[in-house]
Amino acid sequence: LNGQLLTAEQLSERAVEARKGNADVQAVLSADVEARHGDVIRALDIVKSAGIQQFAIQVEKALGP
């Protein structure tokens, strides 16, 4: 989260706190090419479970053909 490595539990706690502070908070998920798909989906599920319904997924263009 914001460059910090967090456990799933810590991410959940921070997402709940963010939602309490701003009902319209939006999450932006970003993962590098080496990230496992399941881990990205788990992070998204944690954020959504905290009540954050607005989210975006940040992607980078692949290099090469």
Side-chain angles (χ1 to χ4, degrees):
L1 179 67
N2 296 328
Q4 288 183 306
L5 184 61
L6 302 177
T7 65
E9 183 177 322
Q10 290 169 322
L11 176 59
S12 178
E13 290 169 359
R14 297 282 295 274
V16 168
E17 288 174 20
R19 175 77 169 87
K20 285 180 184 176
N22 178 359
D24 295 325
V25 68
Q26 179 180 357
V28 178
L29 293 142
S30 179
D32 75 17
V33 70
E34 298 297 321
R36 295 185 310 183
H37 178 78
D39 291 337
V40 175
I41 297 302
R42 183 167 184 222
L44 178 58
D45 286 344
I46 290 169
V47 167
K48 289 174 66 177
S49 293
I52 299 173
Q53 297 301 314
Q54 297 180 44
F55 61 90
I57 298 175
Q58 180 178 350
V59 296
E60 292 183 22
K61 288 184 179 181
L63 298 178

